[in-house]
Amino acid sequence: MKITHEIKENTIILTLDGELDASSSVMLDEELSDPEIMEYSRILVDCKNLHYISSAGLGVFISHLQRFEDAHIKLIFYNMQDKVRNVFEILGLDLLMTIVSDYEEARSIANE
């Protein structure tokens, strides 16, 4: 798993590349726990190259979801592959989290 981030104005874009499993979820948790991330009003997660997500990976997002909502930080996923999106949908996480098709849609929702 490789996680890169890019800053654009008041937005941080996290790009996930590879498989998000129990071992790599620690890296994601560290990224989302970084106090600097709370300085942004929007977190966009590019899932184009995310090939697999385990319950541990989902757990990391769930564990930070309330903290971001409390801080009025929008968390938006985009470019999600069908098999990864299916995991979110089966667990009903698509009802808790914002998942859109592409960057432009993510950016549009983030700016609302």
Side-chain angles (χ1 to χ4, degrees), residues 16-74:
L16 308 180
D17 189 346
E19 297 185 352
L20 184 54
D21 56 17
S23 62
S24 59
S25 65
V26 173
M27 190 173 18
L28 177 64
D29 188 49
E30 290 173 357
E31 188 82 34
L32 296 178
S33 297
D34 186 332
E36 281 187 28
I37 205 162
M38 301 303 285
E39 297 174 8
Y40 302 97
S41 62
R42 300 173 287 259
I43 302 170
L44 305 184
V45 183
D46 184 352
C47 300
K48 181 180 180 183
N49 294 317
L50 178 64
H51 305 292
Y52 169 80
I53 188 165
S54 71
S55 58
L58 292 167
V60 170
F61 285 118
I62 293 168
S63 70
H64 290 278
L65 188 61
Q66 188 63 51
R67 183 169 65 101
F68 294 150
E69 286 181 2
D70 290 347
H72 305 288
I73 296 173
K74 294 180 179 178

Side-chain angles (χ1 to χ4, degrees), residues 16 20 28 32 43-47 50 53 58 61-62 65 75-80 85 88 93 96-103 105-106:
L16 308 180
L20 184 54
L28 177 64
L32 296 178
I43 302 170
L44 305 184
V45 183
D46 184 352
C47 300
L50 178 64
I53 188 165
L58 292 167
F61 285 118
I62 293 168
L65 188 61
L75 176 65
I76 302 170
F77 299 85
Y78 66 98
N79 284 341
M80 197 173 278
R85 188 178 184 120
F88 278 78
L93 297 176
L96 298 174
M97 300 178 184
T98 304
I99 302 170
V100 299
S101 59
D102 57 32
Y103 173 75
E105 190 175 358

